[in-house]
Amino acid sequence: MSESRPAQHPDLLTLDVYLDRELPPEDVLEIEAHLAGCRSCRESIEARRAFFELIRESEQVSLSKDLSADVLGALQRTRMRLLTGVLGIELILAAVLLLLFGPRVLARLTVISTQIDISRSLLWLVDRVASLGDQIGAGLAAIGQTFLSVPLPGLSGLPTAQLTWLHLSGILAGTIVVWLILNRVLIGNSELERSRFS
Amino acid sequence: MDQGFIIFLLGVVIFICLIALFIVAHALFKGWVEEAKLHARDAAGRSLAIGFVNALLLTALSLGFWALGENSGAPVFAVVGLILMVALIIGMVFGLTAMVILVSERVLPEGRGWRQLAGGGSLLVLASLTPYIGWFGLFPYVIFRGLGGVIMTLAGAWRARRAARGKAGDG
C-alpha cells in the first residue's frame, strides 16, 4: 500500500493485519481514511473483530484422545519400512554381485592367503605392542632408579633396604598428596548437582 | 593358519563377552552408570582430565604399594595395592559402560533396551580396535572420560550424603 495508488478496498489479509495492529503507521492512516468513507469495509472489519473476540472468549477444550503417540508411531513405522526397503535392495544387490564375481574373488583370495602367513603377521603385531609395553616399563624403572639414587639428608647411614623402604614411602606419600590436590582442583569447583542421593 | 583362526575365534568370544558385560552392568547398576553418563556428557573435558589424572596416579599408587609390600615384607601394603588396582578396574568398567550408553543414544536414538546397548557397544569396540588410532587414541579417550564421569558421580554422592548429614545434625 502506498500514497501514490488510488484508495482501494483493502483485502482480507490486510484487514487482519490491521486488526492485529501490525501494519506500519502510514498504512494504518490510509486504511482508517478509507474506512471513514467506506461502509462495506467498516462492516467487514466489525464482523472480523467480533469473530476474533468470539474465539478469544471461547473455552479451551481438551482433546478426548491424545493422538501424538499414534502419529509418532505411524511416522516411525513409515521410517522403518523405508529403511527395510533400502536394506532389502542392498541385500539383493550384494547377492547379485556375490553370484557374479564371488567365485573369481574367492579364487584370488585363496592365492593371496597362501602367500601371506596370517598367524605370523598377527604374532608380529602382538610382539610390537608387547615391546612397546616393555619400553614404557623400562622407562618407568629408570625414573624409579633415579629417585632411589637421591640421597636422603641425615639418613645415608641406614641400610640399603631401609633406605629403599623410606624412599618408596616418601614417593607414595607425595603421590597421594598430589592425587588429592589434583582431584580437589578438578572436581572441587564443578556443579555436581545431579546425584541420586540428593 | 590354525593359530590365526584360533586368535580370530578368541577375539569374537571376547567381543561378545564385552557386549554382555556392558548390558549386565547397565542392568544391575543403572543409577550409577546413568549418572556417570550424564557427567561424562555434560563435562567432557573435565571428565577426561579427572579420568586421566586418576588412572595415572592410581596405577602409580597401586604399583608403589605393591613394591612397598614386597620391599618391606609386610603383605598389607601389597593388599592395599591390589585393592586400588581392583577399584580402578571396576571404575573403568562402569565408565566404559557409561560411554557405551552415550554412544548408543547418539548413534541409535530409536533403539531401545539391550539392542541399543549392543549396537552402540559393538560400534565402540570395533572403533577401538582400529590399529593405533583406536588402540592409543579412541580407547584411552573413552576410558578416561568414562572413568572421570564415575569419579564425579562418586564425588557428587559423597557431597550429597555430607549435606544430608549436616542437615540432619542441624535439625
Side-chain angles (χ1 to χ4, degrees), chain A residues 3-177:
Chain A
E3 289 179 2
S4 59
R5 284 192 285 157
Q8 293 173 350
H9 298 292
D11 54 46
L12 288 175
L13 181 62
T14 309
L15 285 178
D16 288 342
V17 176
Y18 166 74
L19 283 171
D20 289 337
R21 297 194 178 109
E22 289 175 3
L23 273 182
E26 56 273 15
D27 292 339
V28 169
L29 288 171
E30 209 171 320
I31 286 195
E32 284 177 350
H34 176 83
L35 286 173
C38 178
R39 202 176 110 189
S40 64
C41 285
R42 274 203 307 275
E43 283 171 3
S44 287
I45 211 163
E46 282 310 313
R48 293 189 84 68
R49 194 176 272 137
F51 176 67
F52 290 140
E53 203 58 46
L54 191 68
I55 291 173
R56 232 177 277 128
E57 287 171 4
S58 61
E59 284 177 20
Q60 292 284 336
V61 178
S62 57
L63 293 171
S64 58
K65 189 181 175 188
D66 185 4
L67 296 170
S68 55
D70 290 343
V71 169
L72 288 171
L75 281 171
Q76 197 163 351
R77 278 194 297 276
T78 309
R79 192 168 174 188
M80 283 310 296
R81 271 199 290 266
L82 182 66
L83 283 172
T84 310
V86 168
L87 191 62
I89 292 169
E90 285 177 356
L91 282 173
I92 292 168
L93 271 172
V96 166
L97 285 170
L98 199 64
L99 281 169
L100 286 173
F101 301 109
R104 229 179 296 174
V105 169
L106 199 63
R108 186 79 188 122
L109 275 175
T110 310
V111 169
I112 292 170
S113 68
T114 56
Q115 293 167 355
I116 298 173
D117 189 345
I118 293 177
S119 61
R120 195 182 289 180
S121 307
L122 282 169
L123 286 170
W124 174 86
L125 208 59
V126 168
D127 186 57
R128 295 312 307 160
V129 173
S131 70
L132 186 66
D134 287 339
Q135 283 171 10
I136 293 172
L140 287 172
I143 292 169
Q145 280 300 115
T146 310
F147 274 116
L148 288 174
S149 66
V150 171
L152 291 171
L155 297 169
S156 51
L158 283 174
T160 314
Q162 272 194 326
L163 268 176
T164 310
W165 187 85
L166 280 169
H167 270 106
L168 275 171
S169 306
I171 291 168
L172 279 172
T175 308
I176 290 170
V177 168

Side-chain angles (χ1 to χ4, degrees), chain B residues 122-142:
Chain B
S122 306
L123 280 169
L124 196 58
V125 170
L126 286 172
S128 299
L129 285 173
T130 312
Y132 297 105
I133 296 170
W135 302 344
F136 304 118
L138 179 66
F139 184 66
Y141 171 81
V142 166

Side-chain angles (χ1 to χ4, degrees), chain B residues 79-98:
Chain B
V79 169
V80 169
L82 188 65
I83 290 171
L84 283 175
M85 188 50 80
V86 167
L88 182 63
I89 290 170
I90 291 172
M92 282 180 171
V93 167
F94 279 179
L96 207 50
T97 308

Side-chain angles (χ1 to χ4, degrees), chain A residues 79 119 123 125 132 161 164-165 168-169 172 175-176 179 182-183 186-188 190 192 194-198, chain B residues 3-4 32 35 38-39 42 46 50 53-54 57 61 64 68 71-72 110 136 151-152 155-157 159-161:
Chain A
R79 192 168 174 188
S119 61
L123 286 170
L125 208 59
L132 186 66
T164 310
W165 187 85
L168 275 171
S169 306
L172 279 172
T175 308
I176 290 170
W179 175 57
L182 279 173
N183 269 326
L186 288 169
I187 301 173
S190 70
L192 295 168
R194 261 188 312 277
S195 171
R196 63 195 194 94
F197 297 106
S198 61
Chain B
Q3 208 171 8
W32 289 99
E35 205 170 314
L38 291 172
H39 284 302
D42 297 338
R46 192 189 289 265
I50 291 170
V53 159
N54 279 275
L57 292 177
L61 282 171
L68 190 62
N71 195 268
S72 66
E110 291 168 358
F136 304 118
I151 290 169
M152 287 171 82
R159 272 193 200 169
R161 276 202 174 118

Side-chain angles (χ1 to χ4, degrees), chain B residues 5 8 16 20 26 30 32-33 41 56 67 71 83 87 91 98 109-110 118 127 135 147 154 157 160-161:
Chain B
F5 181 72
F8 172 74
I16 294 169
H26 182 251
K30 189 169 183 178
W32 289 99
V33 169
R41 184 193 70 188
L56 197 67
N71 195 268
I83 290 171
E110 291 168 358
W135 302 344
L147 180 64
L154 288 169
R161 276 202 174 118

